[in-house]
Amino acid sequence: MIVFHGWATPNSQRVSIMLEELGLAYHAHGVNIRAGEQFAPEILALNPYGKVPILQLDELVLFESGAILLHLAEAHHRFLPRDPAARAEVLAWFMVAMTSLGPFTGQAHHWTELAPEKPEAARAHSVALVARVYRLLDGRLKDRRHLAGDYSIADIAAYPWVAKHGWAAMSLDDHPHLARWFAEVGGRPAVQRGMAVPAGAKLE
């Protein structure tokens, strides 16, 4: 039995989308991060960092969304090419999603919505970092259907964070190629199912 621990966060949604794309049977356990459930003893026993997503695969326990996506891609030989050059290209864009798109959008969300004090310099800096990534992605997708070759873990890692473009005051109307990609990826049934896991989870 595969057990997925997550909530309605982009990092969690990366994993639930991947599970749905692979057609794997799994049990989804909601961990409400707004209620602090990620710090419950049973969750800390799985991930001492106190974060979701977490994936239990029999004796193997994985955390960090990027590590989970890589493991599943390699274990099931899907969404990550075996050819060294094609693999390197996918991993490069995967890392853009992991190290820039996600963290910068999260920081922008903090300084635009969550922080009790919102200094303009911090807000402007964080939003500018996201805007730079959006320009990069839009340019990349100008003449490509996906971020790197066929649909891959790069697209899976990026999609849930682009879905939160409002967190960083971004408009997809200003990025037509990214908007086209977003609509196409969002139309995949597995993506739609994965974005709704765990059932009823909301970030409020």
Side-chain angles (χ1 to χ4, degrees):
M1 170 64 73
I2 299 173
V3 181
F4 162 70
H5 305 266
W7 198 241
T9 67
N11 286 344
S12 291
Q13 290 163 340
R14 287 169 168 169
V15 176
S16 52
I17 288 171
M18 186 68 166
L19 291 168
E20 293 291 339
E21 290 282 10
L22 293 171
L24 299 177
Y26 65 97
H27 169 70
H29 172 229
V31 181
N32 188 338
I33 64 170
R34 290 290 189 255
E37 292 177 358
Q38 68 272 33
F39 302 116
E42 60 271 23
I43 298 300
L44 291 175
L46 299 172
N47 180 4
Y49 203 1
K51 294 173 58 180
V52 291
I54 301 168
L55 197 66
Q56 290 179 269
L57 301 162
D58 295 321
E59 298 298 319
L60 179 63
V61 178
L62 297 172
F63 50 89
E64 293 296 325
S65 61
I68 295 172
L69 291 189
L70 280 172
H71 174 80
L72 291 174
E74 291 174 340
H76 296 274
H77 306 295
R78 293 187 65 192
F79 308 119
L80 182 62
R82 294 189 182 186
D83 173 75
R87 177 185 174 90
E89 183 178 32
V90 168
L91 289 178
W93 289 95
F94 176 68
M95 292 301 170
V96 169
M98 297 304 305
T99 67
S100 296
L101 177 62
F104 294 164
T105 304
Q107 291 173 27
H109 186 215
H110 177 78
W111 292 117
T112 58
E113 294 186 37
L114 301 179
E117 297 182 5
K118 301 174 178 64
E120 175 57 23
R123 188 208 65 79
H125 176 71
S126 62
V127 168
L129 290 174
V130 180
R132 181 183 178 189
V133 180
Y134 272 55
R135 290 193 298 271
L136 173 69
L137 296 177
D138 195 59
R140 175 69 176 177
L141 292 163
K142 182 178 181 179
D143 55 1
R144 292 176 176 82
R145 184 177 179 186
H146 299 112
L147 287 174
D150 295 332
Y151 180 72
S152 71
I153 58 171
D155 302 287
I156 293 171
Y159 179 85
W161 280 103
V162 176
K164 297 296 187 184
H165 53 270
W167 281 4
M170 293 292 114
S171 172
L172 294 185
D173 293 340
D174 300 327
H175 305 87
H177 310 298
L178 182 60
R180 186 270 311 158
W181 167 90
F182 182 74
E184 182 174 334
V185 172
R188 295 175 68 94
V191 172
Q192 295 173 1
R193 293 193 302 270
M195 290 292 287
V197 176
K202 295 181 181 181
L203 277 181
E204 295 179 344

